[in-house]
Amino acid sequence: MIAVVSATGMTAVLGGCGTTGSSDVTLRLVAADYGDSAANSSQKYWDKLAKAYEARHSGVKIDVTVYSWNDVDRKVKDMVGAGHAPDLAQIGSYADYAAAGKLYEAGDLLSIPVQADFPAQLAEAGQWKHAQYGIPFAASTRVLFYNKTLFTQAGITTPPTTWDELAADAKALKADGVKYPYALPLGPEEAQAETMQWLLSGGSGYTDDTGSYTIDSAQNVDTFTWLKDELVGKGLTGPVAPAKLNRATAFAAFADGQVGMLNGHPTLIKQAEEKGVKFGTVPMPARAGQSNSTASLGVADWMAAFRQNGHAEQVGEFLDYVYSEKNVLAFSREYGLLPVTTSASRAMTDSARAQDKQLRPFLEQLPTSELYPAGKTSWAAVSAGIKEQIGTAVSPAGDPAGVLGRLQAEAATADSRAAGTG
């Protein structure tokens, strides 16, 4: 989703031209699925884009395989481990591959206008040792969605601004028969996102200002103790246990009118509207006495280009096409995500389309949101551990301090290994 031609007319790769020196090459792309059904699977998006690209570049074929977010990172890891890396992978992290010398730098592939089109915050988040290897592909921020109809039926007049208010509202929703008063998806699909949103609203996060992991900080332990005791332990997150609830399932339940509140990103807007759900959004509530103005989670997913097959020229040409303003906007609008280029963001901000207007609040908070520590080579392993274990912290027999302490120890070990000292 990179600009094909700069504003001054400098040529990158013109969409109507054939490739330069590209003949009989097949680029293998592994991508994640952003759709919520077969009807809008990302496979359809990529197949359409690949067909359009191939029509203009007769010597290049684009072979795309799409996996769910439950599987895509593991699939790519297995491919790389077996010595069969794809040319491109659209995944959740990149730094471990960069540290292993397996990736091209963005500057080796992208035209100058395209590389300059990424906002500084996202470009810097894609850096490992001050060089950009992770190319942002999609972005989102999180807010609290609430079902206005269920709130009214339960006698709730205003959305919550603190954790205590959220718990009180969840209790009222449960008393009124709501299936999920608060949906807490700590299942393996995207538990690291729900976790980080709660850690931020509790005044901490995964790392401190120096980039060191602080998973078991006192604030984080307090946050998960509160979740276990005040929400999960009181039956306000059921009927599915958080450790078994995935984000896609929680979103679908909200769209079906079964959820009172949950953290959501922009794709939930379209899902809810298609089902006629009347909803509102507010910043994530914070611990009592703490401002929630800086408690927004920002998420960026990444495109990574592997060096193994040596198709740098063809990969660069294809990425220039993928990141054109037209294609960035098409993807963002299809899946309700935020554009990752300045040109597409500006076009969305200036647009009169109703859908684009709905995304502006999310787009406005992206520059000040907190992103995952994706530039740490240990993050892939740490994220995987969070997905696997964090749900047990809030189970009936769970020990928040013990689980967070174990994750912290594993993170420290992964960091030490990444630095070559362990």
Side-chain angles (χ1 to χ4, degrees), residues 390-410:
I390 196 64
T392 64
V394 296
S395 66
D399 175 13
V403 172
L404 294 178
R406 183 164 61 251
L407 288 169
Q408 173 67 25
E410 293 173 359

Side-chain angles (χ1 to χ4, degrees), residues 197 200-201 203-204 283 290-297 368-370:
Q197 182 63 80
L200 289 171
S201 68
S204 187
Q290 177 180 307
S291 170
N292 60 3
S293 62
T294 59
S296 176
L297 166 65
T368 58
S369 63
E370 295 283 341

Side-chain angles (χ1 to χ4, degrees), residues 98-240:
K102 296 183 181 297
L103 301 183
Y104 286 109
E105 290 186 34
D108 294 336
L109 305 170
L110 306 175
S111 64
I112 293 174
V114 167
Q115 194 171 7
D117 203 20
F118 295 114
Q121 181 208 28
L122 295 179
E124 291 172 4
Q127 292 181 358
W128 178 76
K129 289 194 172 181
H130 309 294
Q132 185 180 355
Y133 292 90
I135 306 171
F137 180 76
S140 66
T141 55
R142 299 293 200 272
V143 297
L144 185 77
F145 283 72
Y146 64 99
N147 185 310
K148 289 184 174 182
T149 301
L150 297 181
F151 266 50
T152 299
Q153 292 173 350
I156 306 170
T157 57
T158 58
T161 59
T162 67
W163 288 359
D164 290 342
E165 290 176 359
L166 186 150
D169 291 346
K171 184 177 180 180
L173 291 163
K174 181 182 180 181
D176 202 49
V178 175
K179 188 175 182 179
Y180 293 92
Y182 179 85
L184 183 66
L186 295 178
E189 180 187 7
E190 205 183 32
Q192 81 284 3
E194 183 72 15
T195 297
M196 184 168 171
Q197 182 63 80
W198 277 99
L199 299 186
L200 289 171
S201 68
S204 187
Y206 287 134
T207 59
D208 60 20
D209 292 340
T210 68
S212 299
Y213 284 112
T214 56
I215 296 173
D216 65 344
S217 69
Q219 298 101 311
N220 290 345
V221 172
D222 286 347
T223 293
F224 265 79
T225 300
W226 186 90
L227 279 173
K228 178 179 182 293
D229 294 344
E230 301 301 325
L231 285 188
V232 182
K234 294 184 178 179
L236 303 179
T237 60
V240 177

Side-chain angles (χ1 to χ4, degrees), residues 345-353 356 360:
S345 295
R346 186 180 301 114
M348 182 172 282
T349 299
D350 295 340
S351 170
R353 293 169 54 124
D356 291 346
R360 286 177 192 167

Side-chain angles (χ1 to χ4, degrees), residues 169-341:
D169 291 346
K171 184 177 180 180
L173 291 163
K174 181 182 180 181
D176 202 49
V178 175
K179 188 175 182 179
Y180 293 92
Y182 179 85
L184 183 66
L186 295 178
E189 180 187 7
E190 205 183 32
Q192 81 284 3
E194 183 72 15
T195 297
M196 184 168 171
Q197 182 63 80
W198 277 99
L199 299 186
L200 289 171
S201 68
S204 187
Y206 287 134
T207 59
D208 60 20
D209 292 340
T210 68
S212 299
Y213 284 112
T214 56
I215 296 173
D216 65 344
S217 69
Q219 298 101 311
N220 290 345
V221 172
D222 286 347
T223 293
F224 265 79
T225 300
W226 186 90
L227 279 173
K228 178 179 182 293
D229 294 344
E230 301 301 325
L231 285 188
V232 182
K234 294 184 178 179
L236 303 179
T237 60
V240 177
K244 296 182 178 180
L245 182 64
N246 280 325
R247 187 262 307 162
T249 303
F251 278 21
F254 186 86
D256 287 338
Q258 301 174 340
V259 174
M261 298 173 282
L262 84 169
N263 284 319
H265 54 63
T267 61
L268 186 54
I269 293 175
K270 184 177 180 181
Q271 282 183 254
E273 287 185 338
E274 288 178 346
K275 293 292 188 72
V277 173
K278 295 180 179 179
F279 63 89
T281 62
V282 292
M284 174 64 184
R287 192 191 304 271
Q290 177 180 307
S291 170
N292 60 3
S293 62
T294 59
S296 176
L297 166 65
V299 176
D301 301 327
W302 305 98
M303 183 73 77
F306 288 87
R307 302 174 63 92
Q308 180 178 329
N309 301 316
H311 297 145
E313 180 181 359
Q314 294 88 351
V315 168
E317 291 175 355
F318 178 61
L319 288 176
D320 276 4
Y321 179 77
V322 168
Y323 284 92
S324 68
E325 180 181 314
K326 175 184 176 181
N327 286 330
V328 173
L329 284 172
F331 179 85
S332 299
R333 287 166 173 164
E334 175 65 28
Y335 298 106
L337 292 166
L338 305 181
V340 294
T341 62

